[in-house]
Amino acid sequence: MQEPTFLILTALAAGPQHGYGIIADVLQISDERVQLRAGTLYAALDRLQGEELIETDREEVVDGRARRYYRLTSTGGTRLSVEAERLRRNAETAASRLRGGPRPALGAGLRALSVSCGGAVLTTSPGSAT
């Protein structure tokens, strides 16, 4: 997930917001590193609606202009939660390595490693002495 998408979803996790509110919230969340332009934001909002990560909450007219509010869907909340956890784990690994901490073992999902060497194939599994 790209950072602007993550920040837009994070802004909407606090509750429904209109476009300008999202732009201001993303600027604040990112410590002023990410400044979304209106065209970029609305293209992203259309894409996120298409992916069913957000939906229109309501529309109102303010000073003669239509203002549309967006909200996070349950699917969007799940995607944001998964991405936040992935980023947390990556940041934790980086911090640990900067402190000179141990390197984590290979992922638990790795069942076997096959290496081709001169026509022979060597297969090892975690815990084997092959």
Side-chain angles (χ1 to χ4, degrees), residues 12 14 16 26 31-32 34 41 64 70 72 81 90 97-98 125 128:
L12 292 174
V26 164
D31 290 329
E32 299 185 2
V34 178
L41 173 66
Y70 299 88
L72 200 60
S81 178
N90 287 347
R97 288 186 178 190
L98 286 169
S125 296
S128 71

Side-chain angles (χ1 to χ4, degrees), residues 96-118:
S96 174
R97 288 186 178 190
L98 286 169
R99 289 188 305 269
R103 294 178 67 141
L106 290 176
L110 182 62
R111 296 285 179 243
L113 174 63
S114 296
V115 179
S116 177
C117 180

Side-chain angles (χ1 to χ4, degrees), residues 55-74:
E55 60 191 7
T56 301
D57 182 67
R58 67 186 183 279
E59 291 186 29
E60 62 186 23
V61 177
V62 176
D63 296 328
R65 298 185 67 188
R67 182 179 284 176
R68 182 175 294 162
Y69 287 76
Y70 299 88
R71 71 172 167 249
L72 200 60
T73 63
S74 61

